[in-house]
Amino acid sequence: MANETLEKARAYEEKYSVFIKAEDRPAFHVSPRIGWMNDPNGFSLYQGKYHLFYQYHPYSTQWGPMHWGHAVSEDMLRWTYLPAAMAPDEAYDQAGCFSGSALELDDGRQLVMYTGVRQKLDAEGTRKDYQTQCLALGNGLDYEKLPINPVLDEKDVPKGFSHHDFRDPKIFRRSDGGFACVVGNRTEDGSGAILLFESEDGLSWRFVTVLDRSYNEYGKMWECPDFFRLDGTDILLVSPQNMSQVGLEFHNGNGTVCLMGTYDTQTRAFDRRRVQAVDYGIDFYAPQTLQTADGRRVMIAWMQNWDTAVAFPEGTKWFGQMSLPRELHVREGRLIQNPVRELDSLHGRRVAYENVPVREEANLKGIYGRVLDMTLTLRPQQNEPYDLFRLKFAKGSQHYSDIVYDPKASTLRISRTHSGCTRDFVHERECFVRDRGGELKLRLILDRFSAEVFVNDGEQVLSMTLYTPMTANGISFEARGSVLMDVEKYDIVPQE
Ligand code: FRU
C-alpha cells in the first residue's frame, strides 16, 4: 500500500505533464510539473546540486492532499523535474505531507523532515488536523519514510502550544555539529510562535525553547520559519497568517516577516531587535533559504498569496510559481535581496540607452518582451523637476501593468489592475522607498507570468503574478515633468 499512492502520482505526472508546452510555463521560474504547487520545501544543496521540493497536488490546479514535487538544478534557474518524492501514504500523513526541509548527511544521504498531517474527529465531531514532524531519507531521487515516525508529536510540544497547528520544520546544522530545527506553532491566545528543537544524530529530537512569538502583533499562526545567521545578524523568517495592515510595511492577510536580532548559542535566547516585511508586492509567501557552496544565503518563495490564489488562468494545467532565487545580505540593518548572480549568465540580447529624457509616454526601440531583466536608473534634472514616473510593462492594446514612483512622497506602487485578470481581489500594492532626492534604481525581471521589481540594489522587492496574454509585450516610460533615465535590458535565454 505504502508506495502505491506515490507510484500513481509519478505515473500521472509522467503521462500528462508532456501536454504542457514549454512556452506556456515560466521560462526560468519553477512551476509545478503539472497541477498545483505551493510552498518551496527542502531547498538544499545535495551532492553538488540544488534540490527543490514543493507542496504539490498533481491531479488538479487546486490544493489537495499534499505530495512533494521535486526538481534539481545546477544554477537555481534551469530546473530538471524529477519524479514526485513523497505522497500521503502513511497513517501519520494520510491527510498530507506538509512543508518541510532537507539537508545532506555526512554519510551521503539526504535527510528530509516534513509535517505529517492526519485528521480525526474531536469530541464535538469536528474534523481536526493533528500535525507531527516526520523524517525520510533519500538519495536525491527516492525517499524512504522512517519507521520511527513521527519523531515529534504532541508530547514534545510544551504546555499552552498547539499540536493541531504544529508544522513546517526547517532543519539546519548547529555550529557544534549537531542538528536543530525551527517549527511553526500557535499559542493559546491564537497567535504565532516558533519552537526550537535539537538533535545530536538528526533522528532523535528534543524540545529546547520557544524562539520567538507574535503575541498577536505580527499576525496569528506563524508558518514556514527559517533561521540563519547573515552578515553578523541572526534572522528568523516567518510567514504569519491573518496579519493586519500596518502603514505601508505590512498588508492584511498572509505576509512574510523578517525578525532580526541576536541568538545566544549558550542560552538559546533570541533577542529580537528589528522587524521588516520581506516582499512589498502582492505574491510572496513561505520563503526558504539555503547556503551555497561559496557561502551565499539564497532565498526562494512561493510567488503567490493564499488570498489571490483564486484566479486560475483559463486552460492552464499548472498553478503556482516560485520566486526568483535571491541572494540575501544585511545592509544598514535591513534585509537586502538581489537576484542570484547566476541570472547574468542567462542574459541574451542587450539593448541599452543613456540619459534619455522621459516626459510624455514613449517607447524605446528594442525595449519590449516578457522574459527579460531590465534595469532603469532615474536621475532628476536641476532645472526640470518631476513629480511622477511610470513604467508600463506587459502592455498591449487592452492591457498593461505598471510601476508608479512618486519622488515627493517616496512611494512606489505596483499594479496589475489592467493586466487582464477579471477577478476582484488585490491587484495593487504600495510601499515607501528610501528618499534619494528623486534618484531611483529599478530592476524589473519578467518571466511571462510574473514581475519582480528590485528597488535600489535590493533594498526592497515587489513581486506579483500576471496572467496577461503574451502578445502584450510592450514597455513604455512616462514622467510628469522630466527625468533622465538610463535603461539596460537583456532578454533572458534559459536554453543551454
Ligand atoms: C503555507 C502552508 C504550510 C503548510 C502548507 C500546506 O503556505 O499552509 O503551513 O505546511 O502550506 O500545503
Side-chain angles (χ1 to χ4, degrees):
M1 175 64 202
N3 280 325
E4 235 174 71
T5 324
L6 182 62
E7 288 317 317
K8 189 174 149 236
R10 286 180 166 191
Y12 181 88
E13 59 182 7
E14 187 66 23
K15 183 166 174 194
Y16 295 110
S17 61
V18 295
F19 296 107
I20 307 178
K21 294 199 216 97
E23 63 268 28
D24 293 335
R25 305 162 65 106
F28 56 98
H29 285 72
V30 175
S31 56
R33 201 170 169 193
I34 186 165
W36 162 278
M37 177 183 90
N38 57 288
D39 314 355
N41 293 159
F43 184 40
S44 57
L45 246 189
Y46 177 65
Q47 297 189 346
K49 290 195 175 158
Y50 299 105
H51 283 253
L52 179 69
F53 304 83
Y54 48 87
Q55 288 287 280
Y56 183 38
H57 183 243
Y59 305 111
S60 80
T61 51
Q62 309 214 3
W63 194 88
M66 280 292 112
H67 296 58
W68 273 36
H70 191 187
V72 67
S73 171
E74 289 188 18
D75 61 7
M76 294 179 271
L77 298 166
R78 289 169 297 182
W79 293 89
T80 304
Y81 290 90
L82 297 177
M86 293 196 292
D89 52 14
E90 294 286 350
Y92 52 77
D93 64 16
Q94 37 82 1
C97 300
F98 275 20
S99 284
S101 50
L103 51 73
E104 180 164 355
L105 295 175
D106 295 339
D107 67 9
R109 290 178 301 173
Q110 194 176 25
L111 178 68
V112 165
M113 192 182 212
Y114 71 100
T115 300
V117 183
R118 85 200 134 84
Q119 289 185 331
K120 272 195 318 199
L121 295 187
D122 69 4
E124 293 168 14
T126 311
R127 187 166 287 282
K128 277 231 164 115
D129 272 8
Y130 290 79
Q131 305 189 336
T132 59
Q133 313 320 316
C134 307
L135 295 175
L137 279 168
N139 60 5
L141 193 62
D142 294 309
Y143 294 82
E144 191 96 21
K145 294 174 186 171
L146 301 195
I148 54 170
N149 283 339
V151 294
L152 285 173
D153 63 15
E154 59 179 291
K155 58 183 182 315
D156 303 292
V157 175
K159 197 171 173 312
F161 292 79
S162 174
H163 57 280
H164 302 294
D165 286 302
F166 176 39
R167 57 182 177 270
D168 312 332
K170 174 73 200 280
I171 33 176
F172 53 95
R173 296 300 282 253
R174 304 197 310 259
S175 49
D176 65 4
F179 297 84
C181 77
V182 279
V183 186
N185 202 282
R186 189 196 287 270
T187 50
E188 267 168 352
D189 65 1
S191 76
I194 300 302
L195 308 182
L196 178 79
F197 297 85
E198 288 187 353
S199 165
E200 299 321 311
D201 58 3
L203 304 175
S204 155
W205 292 81
R206 62 179 183 279
F207 170 73
V208 175
T209 192
V210 179
L211 201 57
D212 201 353
R213 54 195 290 185
S214 156
Y215 294 108
N216 282 309
E217 194 181 359
Y218 300 103
K220 295 287 180 183
M221 169 68 191
W222 278 0
E223 301 188 306
C224 301
D226 199 346
F227 189 46
F228 51 89
R229 191 165 177 79
L230 180 68
D231 300 332
T233 299
D234 291 300
I235 295 191
L236 178 61
L237 297 178
V238 294
S239 294
Q241 298 178 319
N242 307 97
M243 299 230 359
S244 300
Q245 170 116 5
V246 181
L248 296 184
E249 187 67 19
F250 299 111
H251 58 77
N252 303 88
N254 290 61
T256 42
V257 175
C258 175
L259 310 164
M260 295 189 223
T262 326
Y263 177 64
D264 184 328
T265 51
Q266 297 304 312
T267 62
R268 296 344 194 225
F270 176 62
D271 179 16
R272 186 211 299 167
R273 293 284 165 84
R274 293 182 305 277
V275 180
Q276 68 162 95
V278 181
D279 193 282
Y280 293 83
I282 301 170
D283 296 299
F284 189 89
Y285 197 63
Q288 204 172 77
T289 70
L290 60 65
Q291 192 153 27
T292 60
D294 57 7
R296 290 174 290 153
R297 179 61 61 172
V298 175
M299 174 179 76
I300 197 164
W302 185 38
M303 192 165 32
Q304 199 47 259
N305 177 329
W306 282 106
D307 287 328
T308 64
V310 289
F312 302 104
E314 234 170 87
T316 16
K317 292 190 167 61
W318 61 271
F319 182 81
Q321 308 166 61
M322 292 301 169
S323 71
L324 201 60
R326 303 171 181 178
E327 286 179 25
L328 302 184
H329 278 291
V330 176
R331 203 166 63 212
E332 293 168 23
R334 286 196 49 94
L335 184 71
I336 301 296
Q337 308 168 51
N338 281 296
V340 280
R341 62 196 62 169
E342 284 81 349
L343 187 63
D344 296 353
S345 63
L346 268 53
H347 281 169
R349 195 168 78 104
R350 174 179 185 269
V351 179
Y353 293 88
E354 274 178 28
N355 286 317
V356 183
V358 180
R359 293 191 181 89
E360 64 273 6
E361 186 171 352
N363 315 322
L364 288 171
K365 192 161 177 282
I367 306 277
Y368 61 90
R370 289 285 292 272
V371 184
L372 56 80
D373 178 357
M374 178 174 79
T375 300
L376 309 184
T377 312
L378 301 183
R379 275 187 303 277
Q381 289 171 289
Q382 293 273 309
N383 40 10
E384 262 194 285
Y386 78 111
D387 61 16
L388 180 142
F389 170 83
R390 183 200 301 265
L391 163 70
K392 286 188 183 160
F393 54 93
K395 181 180 168 209
S397 54
Q398 297 172 42
H399 303 121
Y400 67 88
S401 290
D402 64 358
I403 301 165
V404 175
Y405 174 52
D406 178 336
K408 290 220 175 79
S410 279
T411 54
L412 198 65
R413 183 173 55 73
I414 191 168
S415 165
R416 60 175 178 205
T417 305
H418 304 282
S419 69
C421 179
T422 52
R423 294 294 302 271
D424 182 25
F425 49 82
V426 170
H427 292 306
E428 223 172 81
R429 207 78 94 189
E430 193 175 19
C431 70
F432 286 114
V433 296
R434 191 155 57 93
D435 181 1
R436 298 173 57 212
E439 280 187 28
L440 181 74
K441 195 165 165 191
L442 294 178
R443 184 170 176 189
L444 170 69
I445 315 278
L446 294 181
D447 187 5
R448 294 192 182 122
F449 304 97
S450 68
E452 286 162 284
V453 186
F454 293 80
V455 187
N456 292 332
D457 295 306
E459 287 178 350
Q460 266 145 327
V461 194
L462 296 87
S463 310
M464 68 177 179
T465 57
L466 287 176
Y467 301 100
T468 314
M470 293 306 140
T471 45
N473 67 355
I475 291 177
S476 69
F477 310 93
E478 176 188 352
R480 212 155 57 202
S482 168
V483 62
L484 286 182
M485 176 181 74
D486 296 344
V487 193
E488 187 179 37
K489 186 215 67 164
Y490 292 94
D491 291 330
I492 294 183
V493 190
Q495 289 81 20
E496 296 286 315

